[in-house]
Amino acid sequence: MDVFVTGGTGGIGSAVVRHLIEDGCQVIGLARSGSSSEKLRALGASAYPGDLRQPETWVDRAATCDAVIHTGATFSDDMGKVDRIAMLDLKKAARHRKQPLKIIYTGGIWLFPQTSDSGDLLSEKTPFAPLPAFRFMTETIKTLSAGTDVSLSVIHPALVCGPDFGPIAEMTAALKSGGKFETRANGQTLWPLVEVTDLARLYGLVLKQNRFRMSVIGSGISEISVDHLAAHISARHGKPLDIIPQQAPDGQNPDLDWAAGYALSQSVNNTHARRILGWTPEHATIEDLVVTLSK
């Protein structure tokens, strides 16, 4: 299978590219620079020059592939506009295909609301209630879902944990540099988590589905309180880690406040992907995650 990947040098994207290549796919990664091209080739992928901001430079090539996996984002003030235009142009480029173009779009757990005190768990059927900074994703998902040119699946990762990014790596770094972790959460805030290679395997499983219109939440850990997570990391290193809650900066534009999601307390029903796809995360306990990633 030929797969075009955006964001293929990022934390999620590079894990996805690595997994797809190991699984026998031919991967073409969008490369904005020479260094990005080198990173993609080091992973075993081909590099195609282009920029998310200039979809005309790459969407025609992407539309010739069997599938496109979109993990790219600019994280700039105009991130939403860039994303919507790129996906709309990709959809237009797919109009003349004999078969609909398979697209896996990366949403996120912060498109869903905070879990209520009633004990209800978030699931794929929970209506969206996105943070302002990520509202554009729900609009893009709606656009891609309409019509027959595209066969869309959406993966909503929980808080993604890798060796050098995500909550566990950040907490470990804070512990080593002074023992204070500043976050928009408090100690009782519940975070759902997923290890990045487990998440990459979920992308691979979704890619193989013949029934390609689906939505799945990728969460290996349904929930863990911030205090509990900090305690595990402290025990791992034999040092205390204090949680320091932060407020939003004065004058922060909600449309640009990407960190607000850390304040959401969310518990996830993570059985759907396991049931319909046979996804079995290798890091399904907090002990597994901390031993693997807190170094």
Side-chain angles (χ1 to χ4, degrees):
M1 183 178 285
D2 294 331
V3 184
F4 194 96
V5 178
T6 70
T9 61
I12 296 175
S14 59
V16 170
V17 168
R18 188 179 294 109
H19 172 75
L20 294 180
I21 290 171
E22 291 174 353
D23 209 30
C25 294
Q26 301 295 318
V27 179
I28 303 167
L30 181 64
R32 189 178 62 178
S33 64
S35 61
S36 294
S37 296
E38 292 176 4
K39 291 177 182 177
L40 287 165
R41 294 189 183 106
L43 292 171
S46 301
Y48 193 85
D51 193 313
L52 281 178
R53 294 181 177 278
Q54 298 174 308
E56 69 277 4
T57 64
W58 58 270
V59 292
D60 288 339
R61 178 66 182 94
T64 66
C65 294
D66 297 310
V68 175
I69 296 180
H70 181 45
T71 68
T74 63
F75 288 99
S76 58
D77 290 357
D78 60 349
M79 176 170 67
K81 179 180 178 181
V82 171
D83 188 80
R84 289 195 298 272
I85 292 174
M87 292 298 100
L88 182 59
D89 283 6
L90 178 60
K91 185 177 181 181
K92 290 178 179 177
R95 284 178 176 174
H96 303 297
R97 289 174 54 96
K98 293 181 179 180
Q99 299 293 329
L101 176 63
K102 294 181 177 181
I103 296 179
I104 299 179
Y105 183 84
T106 304
I109 200 65
W110 292 344
L111 301 188
F112 296 91
Q114 178 157 295
T115 306
S116 68
D117 294 333
S118 64
D120 292 339
L121 302 179
L122 299 177
S123 75
E124 289 78 1
K125 295 182 179 180
T126 303
F128 288 145
L131 292 171
F134 299 99
R135 189 179 296 120
F136 72 89
M137 288 184 173
T138 63
E139 298 168 358
T140 301
I141 289 168
K142 185 182 297 183
T143 297
L144 291 175
S145 298
T148 59
D149 300 318
V150 165
S151 185
L152 176 70
S153 285
V154 183
I155 295 177
H156 298 288
L159 276 65
V160 184
C161 299
D164 54 4
F165 68 93
I168 293 177
E170 292 170 4
M171 284 178 141
T172 302
L175 181 145
K176 293 180 177 180
S177 65
K180 298 183 184 298
F181 179 66
E182 297 184 354
T183 176
R184 297 283 284 279
N186 60 50
Q188 289 71 51
T189 303
L190 299 176
W191 286 345
L193 306 176
V194 64
E195 194 271 337
V196 69
T197 60
D198 285 334
L199 180 63
R201 289 192 297 108
L202 180 59
Y203 277 83
L205 289 169
V206 171
L207 183 64
K208 293 177 180 179
Q209 297 304 299
N210 292 326
R211 181 174 66 87
F212 211 77
R213 288 185 181 268
M214 67 173 62
S215 173
V216 294
I217 293 175
S219 177
I221 306 292
S222 177
E223 65 174 41
I224 185 169
S225 72
V226 174
D227 272 347
H228 191 190
L229 180 58
H232 275 273
I233 294 172
S234 294
R236 170 75 168 161
H237 294 276
K239 298 179 180 179
L241 176 62
D242 295 328
I243 304 301
I244 311 297
Q246 286 183 322
Q247 298 297 318
D250 291 340
Q252 174 68 63
N253 182 350
D255 292 336
L256 303 177
D257 189 5
W258 303 310
Y262 290 107
L264 292 179
S265 191
Q266 297 177 307
S267 301
V268 173
N269 181 339
N270 59 6
T271 62
H272 183 63
R274 301 172 193 236
R275 186 176 66 253
I276 68 169
L277 298 170
W279 183 51
T280 53
E282 294 181 1
H283 305 82
T285 69
I286 193 60
E287 290 81 4
D288 290 337
L289 272 177
V290 170
V291 167
T292 301
L293 300 175
S294 183
K295 297 179 180 179

